[in-house]
């Protein structure tokens, strides 16, 4: 099959979306398929690599440092040239027009839903959402319904993500994402940090907490800072390392000026990020609207338990002993942190890793190829039926 992946908001710091698109693309190529990736950039370019052809189309900058292809027409021209067997869209904006295009050409079209529109709106604009959600929620549902009708299949990564498409009548498939279990692993290949147990939680050796992700409103990083404040008030010696960048960084640095918090910025080296997470005691993931929680899964793979929000899909990743889902406030998350620290370290680290091992990328890729292959086979069958119908009409 020739699978064309279309993605907006794809850049060097775009985190989860880029990871998903890249891992799937590598998996498609490894399975013997042809993969073409179409992404936004400053100018038009084509580059052939080990994971297939990457086409960059001119785009415009949008919020958060992302870029978006503003018009579908250049994408349409490219698709006409490429003649794909299946199209995979990681966007609910301009690139969603690929669904109708594919349907008119007898090509399978799959939408991967990376975010829930209502949950993101509530997290990014909390005051406006509370004031107008009774009108906004039905409007967003109508948009989601219309979006679903454009595609042959919609793929979501969690039950939470799937509720956005409830009642739309489309083909919905829940496929959990995966984790790189080689890059993200416990330090020295085993559970534990190597630090002396007796010195833990002291001013000389505080409990190490990590926040890893975009510093934007919808990710709720302020809750991680509020968690540190609450833990200090409870006389726990802690330190928070923040890995990530975004529009909220300067504000967060001001709020955290007198706290034991270090802002490292975006860490591009994933192996180094994994090593630092594996040396932490707990990861805080307070995003209330995560449709999956890739950072949560990567942390678990490092043998590091997680405190995550009890809303969104990230809590679905936790298992007994691997973490706690709590209300995304500083006080509630601080209680969850203290609760995890009371668990035996070897047991909580082993439970975290064991849970992550249930989510290899190979399973995700196999399930996605099943969706693409089914749609491509269906379209070939329909095409044959149409040709037979035309021949019969000519004979008649």
């Amino acid at each position: 099959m020739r699978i064309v992946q279309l993605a907006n908001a794809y850049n060097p710091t775009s985190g989860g979306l880029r990871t998903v698109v890249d891992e799937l693309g590598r998996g498609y190529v490894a399975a013997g398929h042809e993969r073409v990736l179409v992404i936004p950039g400053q100018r038009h370019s084509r580059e052939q690599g080990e994971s297939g052809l990457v086409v960059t189309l001119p785009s415009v900058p949008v919020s958060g440092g992302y870029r978006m292809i503003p018009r579908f027409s250049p994408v349409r021209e490219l698709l006409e040239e490429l003649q794909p067997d299946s199209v995979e869209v990681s966007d609910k904006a301009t690139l969603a027009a690929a669904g109708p295009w594919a349907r008119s050409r007898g090509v399978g079209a799959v939408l991967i839903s990376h975010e829930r529109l209502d949950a993101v709106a509530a997290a990014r604009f909390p005051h406006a959402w509370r004031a107008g959600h009774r009108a906004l929620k039905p409007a967003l549902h109508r948009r989601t319904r219309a979006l679903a009708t454009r595609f042959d299949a919609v793929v979501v990564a969690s039950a939470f993500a799937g509720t956005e498409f409830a009642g739309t009548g489309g083909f919905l498939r829940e496929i959990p994402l995966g984790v790189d279990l080689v890059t993200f692993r416990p330090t020295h290949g085993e559970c534990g940090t190597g630090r002396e147990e007796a010195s833990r939680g002291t001013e000389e050796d505080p409990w190490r907490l990590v926040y890893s992700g975009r510093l934007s409103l919808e990710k709720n990083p302020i809750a991680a800072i509020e968690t540190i404040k609450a833990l200090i008030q409870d006389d726990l010696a802690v330190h928070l390392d923040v890995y990530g960048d975004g529009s909220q960084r300067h504000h967060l640095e001001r709020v955290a000026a007198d706290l034991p918090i270090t802002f490292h910025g975006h860490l591009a080296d994933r192996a180094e990020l994994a090593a630092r997470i594996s040396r932490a005691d707990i990861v805080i993931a307070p995003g209330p609207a995560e449709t999956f929680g890739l950072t949560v899964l990567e942390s678990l793979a490092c043998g590091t338990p997680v405190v995550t929000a009890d809303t969104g899909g990230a809590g679905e990743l936790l298992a007994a002993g691997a973490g706690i889902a709590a209300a995304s406030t500083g006080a509630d998350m601080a209680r969850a942190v203290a609760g995890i620290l009371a668990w035996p370290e070897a047991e909580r680290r082993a439970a975290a890793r064991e849970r992550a091992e249930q989510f290899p990328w190979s399973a995700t890729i196999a399930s996605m190829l099943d969706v693409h292959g089914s749609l491509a086979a269906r379209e070939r069958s329909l095409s044959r039926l149409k040709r037979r119908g035309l021949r019969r009409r000519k004979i008649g």
Side-chain angles (χ1 to χ4, degrees):
M1 284 186 295
R2 175 178 291 170
I3 302 171
V4 175
Q5 295 176 294
L6 305 176
N8 268 326
Y10 177 106
N11 63 30
T13 61
S14 55
L17 183 145
R18 177 173 181 145
T19 298
V20 173
V21 171
D22 286 352
E23 289 287 353
L24 291 177
R26 282 191 287 268
Y28 297 161
V29 171
H33 302 282
E34 184 180 356
R35 174 250 197 168
V36 181
L37 173 62
V38 182
I39 55 175
Q42 293 186 343
R43 60 188 63 86
H44 188 281
S45 68
R46 295 192 180 204
E47 183 176 349
Q48 185 70 44
E50 293 182 357
S51 297
L53 176 65
V54 178
V55 180
T56 300
L57 294 179
S59 60
V60 296
V62 293
S63 62
Y66 298 124
R67 303 187 72 89
M68 176 181 289
I69 300 169
R71 295 178 299 106
F72 184 66
S73 54
V75 181
R76 181 190 300 110
E77 293 175 6
L78 181 62
L79 290 172
E80 296 284 0
E81 172 195 338
L82 294 172
Q83 293 296 299
D85 297 296
S86 190
V87 176
E88 177 183 291
V89 180
S90 291
D91 181 50
K92 293 181 178 179
T94 56
L95 300 181
W101 175 89
R103 182 164 295 164
S104 68
R105 303 302 193 280
V107 175
V110 182
L111 173 69
I112 300 182
S113 180
H114 292 271
E115 72 287 317
R116 240 181 73 172
L117 295 178
D118 58 343
V120 170
R124 188 175 295 179
F125 312 108
H127 300 298
W129 182 258
R130 283 195 294 269
H133 74 278
R134 291 186 179 181
L136 291 172
K137 197 165 185 176
L140 287 175
H141 183 68
R142 287 193 296 272
R143 187 179 186 280
T144 298
R145 182 186 294 274
L147 191 64
T149 62
R150 295 182 171 193
F151 290 87
D152 300 306
V154 176
V155 172
V156 296
S158 66
F160 170 78
T163 58
E164 180 181 23
F165 293 92
T168 60
F171 173 55
L172 185 67
R173 180 82 180 268
E174 183 179 329
I175 300 178
L177 303 180
V179 62
D180 180 347
L181 292 164
V182 175
T183 300
F184 291 90
R185 66 186 191 278
T187 305
H188 307 307
E190 60 185 19
C191 294
T193 62
R195 293 152 60 193
E196 291 295 330
E197 187 77 24
S199 70
R200 309 295 298 282
T202 64
E203 290 187 8
E204 294 77 19
D205 188 11
W207 300 110
R208 307 294 298 202
L209 309 183
V210 162
Y211 171 91
S212 177
R214 193 165 65 251
L215 302 181
S216 57
L217 278 173
E218 67 270 20
K219 296 295 184 180
N220 196 28
I222 190 66
I225 294 174
E226 296 297 332
T227 300
I228 297 301
K229 288 182 180 179
L231 290 169
I232 290 173
Q233 289 173 357
D234 290 338
D235 295 323
L236 277 176
V238 294
H239 185 278
L240 176 68
D241 290 294
V242 178
Y243 298 101
D245 215 335
S247 59
Q248 292 287 298
R249 178 171 178 175
H250 297 309
H251 168 68
L252 295 169
E253 286 178 330
R254 289 194 298 271
V255 173
D258 299 322
L259 296 172
I261 298 176
T262 303
F263 289 83
H264 299 271
H266 174 68
L267 187 58
D269 187 332
R270 291 174 63 76
E272 178 61 24
L273 177 62
R276 297 190 189 190
I277 290 174
S278 71
R279 292 194 292 267
D281 295 292
I282 294 174
V283 167
I284 302 176
E290 298 293 332
T291 51
F292 184 73
L294 202 56
T295 296
V296 170
L297 188 55
E298 290 170 347
S299 302
L300 296 176
C302 291
T304 305
V306 178
V307 172
T308 191
D310 59 2
T311 57
E316 298 175 32
L317 292 171
L318 299 182
I324 295 176
S328 52
T329 67
D332 288 290
M333 292 205 150
R335 282 191 288 271
V337 167
I340 291 175
L341 292 176
W343 300 344
E345 180 179 11
E347 292 180 13
R348 68 183 187 243
R349 290 188 177 278
R353 175 66 183 187
E354 183 179 354
R355 177 58 172 163
E357 288 174 346
Q358 298 175 24
F359 296 89
W361 272 117
S362 57
T364 307
I365 292 163
S367 295
M368 286 298 302
L369 282 173
D370 180 64
V371 172
H372 283 297
S374 296
L375 294 179
R378 188 193 70 179
E379 293 301 333
R380 286 195 297 270
S381 177
L382 290 173
S383 178
R384 286 194 295 269
L385 289 173
K386 288 179 181 177
R387 287 196 297 271
R388 289 174 187 171
L390 287 173
R391 286 198 296 269
R392 286 172 182 169
R393 281 198 292 270
K394 287 179 181 178
I395 294 171

